[in-house]
Amino acid sequence: MVTIISTMETQVSNGPSGTSLPNGPVISTNGSTDDSKTNLIVNYLPQNMTQEEFKSLFGSIGEIESCKLVRDKITGQSLGYGFVNYVDPNDADKAINTLNGLKLQTKTIKVSYARPSSASIRDANLYVSGLPKTMSQKDMEQLFSQYGRIITSRILVDQVTAGISRGVGFIRFDKRNEAEEAIKGLNGQKPLGAAEPITVKFANNPSQKTGQALLTQLYQTAARRYTGPLHHQTQRFSVIPSLGKGPDPNNSSNTILDNLLNASYGVKSSPALFPRFSPITIDSMTSLAGVNLTGPTGAGWCIFVYNLSPEADESVLWQLFGPFGAVTNVKVIRDFTTNKCKGFGFVTMTNYDEAAMAIASLNGYRLGDRVLQVSFKTSKQHKA
DNA sequence: TGGGATT
């Protein structure tokens, strides 16, 4: 079996249709609301992200009218995408600008305006095989674009051959009838200069997954939850979040973090540095150091982040901690009058191993001209 | 011959 470690993909602008309108919900003459400027679709969400985490992430931008993580009807498993409808169109715009491209675990999420829901846009995804290995994603799009508007395209590439095309890809059209026309026109045809004909057919639906495949997926999801991130994940993506105003991931000043991550990511946990939560640990820590470790109090593991800049906002914390695992909440503590960050914040993570990995990796991390201090949140019981 | 975009 060949492991897919990366893919190439386009980002098609999905902007709201029509002319610009004043803020707030727009009521049309037939009574339906026009949510084209407030309703977003979010793609490539991590498989284990919950509805609550989803809402927390997008709620950090502004007031949400409604949001939904789409799940499989039968298994309840996340389908990896969801919808967020904001009250204010400005917040929808802000969400696209600040959260599109955010790295969460093994995924890079995509945030764009949702197209109006309609039967005509369903089942418009095509599976293409037999592509010449030299054909780029752009070439493929050019070939298919004569049949309609392309929403996404992707060519699968192989790890061992350093990103060489596997001759297999996907094309999603805006409309199903466009996809049908593309099949009629291109299935069994040789692209210009190609030796072999390509195969074009409708792609399988996620809900058409076999029972066996679902079991495999469930097993892998469960295994990942308990053994920590897979080693190959460090190769798929830079685990160092690329922050617009932060340090350059390619800059050598981050080599300490690089090494820490590369050393840490293949292992299950760092028990010597971060002993697992247990009553004995709490007792000894409390009595010896006058410090209480915060346990998994239903909400998860609370992490204290110190030395943030006055301009820091919630999205910085999402960007820093999101790649390490499930984050349920982030909070920047601000001065009441100036609304500037007071230099610290909190992050809540669901799983101990992921929280420990985030702390081990981000404590001492240089964010701009500041060095972060990151630890489990403690509460001083007795002042020395 | 296979990722995950329409509630």
Side-chain angles (χ1 to χ4, degrees), chain A residues 333-342:
Chain A
I333 305 302
R334 293 184 169 85
D335 182 273
F336 184 77
T337 49
T338 66
N339 214 31
K340 294 280 187 189
C341 174
K342 289 169 82 170

Side-chain angles (χ1 to χ4, degrees), chain A residues 10-11 19 24 83 97 114 196 220 268 321:
Chain A
T10 49
Q11 302 259 327
T19 53
F83 296 90
N97 287 323
E196 301 299 326
Q220 286 172 344
K268 290 181 180 177
F321 288 82

